[in-house]
Amino acid sequence: MLVRRIARPMLAAMFVVGGLSQLRRPAAKVATAAPLLDAVGSVVPLPADQATLVRANGAAMLAGGALLATGRVPRVASTLLAGSLVPTTIAGHPFWSETDPARREQQKVQFLKNVGLLGGLLLAAVDTEGKPGLTYRARLMGQGVQRSLRTTRREARHLTHAAAQEARLRTAQAQNALS
């Protein structure tokens, strides 16, 4: 559909540009990401070099953005981008910790913009392009297997019944021939 061909690259553009920026200049984002990385690092072991984590996030954004923009595995790409957007949003726009009202408002707008992007990514992640989703296909396949089993059982009963009739008929014919 034309809308998907236009909307996907539009949605992906920010992630491609942001991912390239994080890959090229991770130091610019390390200070911003440090509080979140420290908090997560206290619960889950993370590499000590925070620039590596910023680059990894940038690589995820670049790869996911490129895949989404080109329409290749768009559901997987959208899910990857959504996963990279959550920590980026929390670390990059903590409006709740700003004391300056103007700065707080600016951070809130950027936070809500990212929440809107997250909503778009979630929609893209569940978009099956009008085709049945995996759950539906699996259920349909399961119904087909069940139907095949019922048919096979029915045919086996008919064959057993027909074989028994044939055996009775031949037995009766053999007895008539002997008498």
Side-chain angles (χ1 to χ4, degrees), residues 84-103:
S84 76
L85 185 60
V86 170
T88 300
T89 302
I90 292 170
H93 306 294
F95 67 91
W96 52 88
S97 64
E98 286 293 334
T99 54
D100 177 32
R103 186 105 173 97

Side-chain angles (χ1 to χ4, degrees), residues 145-158:
V145 168
Q146 289 176 346
R147 193 174 356 200
S148 294
L149 286 173
R150 283 193 305 268
T151 302
T152 302
R153 276 184 270 191
R154 187 174 346 108
E155 288 174 355
R157 279 194 309 268
H158 288 304

Side-chain angles (χ1 to χ4, degrees), residues 17-105:
V17 171
L20 278 172
S21 173
Q22 286 184 23
L23 283 171
R24 289 182 180 158
R25 294 178 300 284
K29 299 288 183 184
V30 169
T32 304
L36 178 65
L37 293 176
D38 291 340
V40 172
S42 68
V43 179
V44 178
L46 294 175
D49 181 21
Q50 293 183 337
T52 301
L53 295 170
V54 170
R55 277 193 182 102
N57 189 58
M61 290 171 66
L62 179 61
L67 289 171
L68 181 62
T70 59
R72 303 217 190 297
V73 290
R75 295 174 71 192
V76 173
S78 299
T79 303
L80 175 66
L81 290 172
S84 76
L85 185 60
V86 170
T88 300
T89 302
I90 292 170
H93 306 294
F95 67 91
W96 52 88
S97 64
E98 286 293 334
T99 54
D100 177 32
R103 186 105 173 97
R104 178 188 204 86
E105 189 61 29

Side-chain angles (χ1 to χ4, degrees), residues 1 10-12 18 21 33 39 43 78 85 89 92 96 114-115 117 129 131-132 137 149 158 162:
M1 174 181 236
M10 290 171 68
L11 183 57
S21 173
V43 179
S78 299
L85 185 60
T89 302
W96 52 88
N114 282 11
V115 169
L117 283 171
E129 299 182 31
K131 299 173 190 164
R137 290 184 214 179
L149 286 173
H158 288 304

